[in-house]
Amino acid sequence: LHGDGSGLVAALNIGLKNATGEFIARMDADDISLPTRFEEQWDYLIDNKIDLCGTSYEMIYKNKIVGRWDGPESDNDIKCALLFMSPFAHPSVMFRKKITNNIRYSKYKYGEDYKFWTDLAIKGLRMGNINKPLLKYRYHSEQLSSSNIPELRKITSKISRSYLNYVGKKNKDLLKYFKLYEKNSSPEVFLSLINCIKIYKEKKNIGDHIYLKLVRSILFKSNLPSLKIFFLYREYTKNI
């Protein structure tokens, strides 16, 4: 297959359009898939009756392992994590071809994968992560997601806000206090927002680690002093 030089998003969509198999596996040319990756993801997709599956990965730099990333595992945890982050390592995913019949990667310069995940979630598709590193992700200084960080943050903020509006249709108080918090990050508004998140957590059976990440994400985006952030975080997570 040959693209027209229009960039990554166009190339991804050309691949989706021309794929003929039941499943599609994503990978970057400079990364390394472990020998059992595709078999394990295939089994996971079928056994759990889900539509998309990612994996943990080990980060490599100059051929040395320098770190590991683990994403949220369950469908509920993933859909909660989408409120503030991309819950998949894009090169690690495998998904059913049929889910792309009406969904394509959007023409975002950056964050096209994050938008793709939120579109799948809005369609009600089920997703999961295997908590096992089946990919070695090569880190280098010129990679797409490490350059142009301010623009990347702006785009991801736009995507997360759009997804929040969708989630907020069935959780109006959650949406209400998220929007209030953007304008007024006072401890009082924060407390109201956290109470809404706790209700959402219990309703959706969200894991504690995802809840903690969400609380941290909200606090660190606030304009509160660092010491105030510390005490608020300790107070509202002490029973977790």
Side-chain angles (χ1 to χ4, degrees):
L1 296 177
H2 297 280
D4 58 4
S6 298
L8 175 62
V9 172
L12 289 169
N13 285 329
I14 288 172
L16 295 183
K17 180 180 178 181
N18 287 277
T20 58
E22 183 181 355
F23 297 94
I24 296 173
R26 170 79 167 83
M27 182 179 168
D28 289 331
D30 57 350
D31 296 332
I32 301 169
S33 283
L34 271 64
T36 62
R37 176 195 159 186
F38 299 139
E39 179 184 359
E40 291 193 47
Q41 286 187 278
W42 177 295
D43 289 341
Y44 192 89
L45 284 161
I46 293 174
D47 292 345
N48 293 282
K49 297 179 181 179
I50 61 174
D51 302 292
L52 181 144
C53 168
T55 78
S56 300
Y57 68 81
E58 291 178 328
M59 185 184 296
I60 52 176
Y61 181 69
K62 295 183 178 180
N63 296 319
K64 292 183 179 180
I65 297 174
V66 295
R68 170 172 168 163
W69 179 88
D70 296 299
E73 294 179 58
S74 73
D75 183 63
N76 282 341
D77 282 359
I78 286 167
K79 287 172 179 172
C80 180
L82 281 168
L83 289 168
F84 61 96
M85 63 175 276
S86 176
F88 295 105
H90 196 190
S92 80
V93 298
M94 177 184 283
F95 49 88
R96 298 177 189 271
K97 158 68 175 174
K98 66 181 182 181
I99 72 174
T100 66
N101 290 341
N102 300 309
I103 299 176
R104 289 287 190 271
Y105 286 95
S106 298
K107 294 181 180 179
Y108 281 84
K109 187 176 181 180
Y110 308 112
E112 75 288 334
D113 53 337
Y114 186 18
K115 182 64 167 63
F116 189 61
W117 317 140
T118 60
D119 287 345
L120 296 178
I122 289 170
K123 290 286 186 180
L125 299 175
R126 299 185 67 246
M127 299 175 276
N129 264 314
I130 299 175
N131 187 21
K132 178 180 180 181
L134 296 174
L135 179 86
K136 294 185 184 295
Y137 179 80
R138 195 175 302 278
Y139 175 80
H140 51 84
S141 59
E142 297 178 354
Q143 67 191 126
L144 183 64
S145 294
S146 64
S147 62
N148 300 298
I149 290 176
E151 187 174 358
L152 175 61
R153 285 176 176 168
K154 182 178 179 180
I155 292 171
T156 54
S157 178
K158 180 180 178 181
I159 294 169
S160 65
R161 193 169 302 171
S162 175
Y163 181 66
L164 172 62
N165 286 332
Y166 162 75
V167 173
K169 290 179 181 178
K170 294 183 179 180
N171 301 272
K172 293 184 178 180
D173 283 344
L174 186 66
L175 178 60
K176 171 186 173 182
Y177 285 108
F178 257 116
K179 289 187 173 181
L180 274 177
Y181 192 71
E182 288 180 344
K183 299 176 182 178
N184 173 22
S185 56
S186 68
E188 293 76 21
V189 175
F190 170 75
L191 176 58
S192 297
L193 177 56
I194 291 301
N195 286 334
C196 290
I197 291 171
K198 283 183 177 178
I199 293 171
Y200 182 75
K201 173 185 181 295
E202 293 168 2
K203 181 179 178 182
K204 296 292 185 179
N205 194 28
I206 304 300
D208 288 341
H209 62 299
I210 297 299
Y211 168 75
L212 293 175
K213 282 185 177 182
L214 180 52
V215 173
R216 286 197 298 268
S217 176
I218 292 167
L219 273 175
F220 293 150
K221 288 178 181 177
S222 75
N223 296 318
L224 296 171
S226 298
L227 191 59
K228 190 70 174 178
I229 289 175
F230 171 77
F231 283 112
L232 281 171
Y233 181 76
R234 189 174 70 171
E235 175 66 23
Y236 295 114
T237 62
K238 63 184 178 182
N239 295 322
I240 301 298

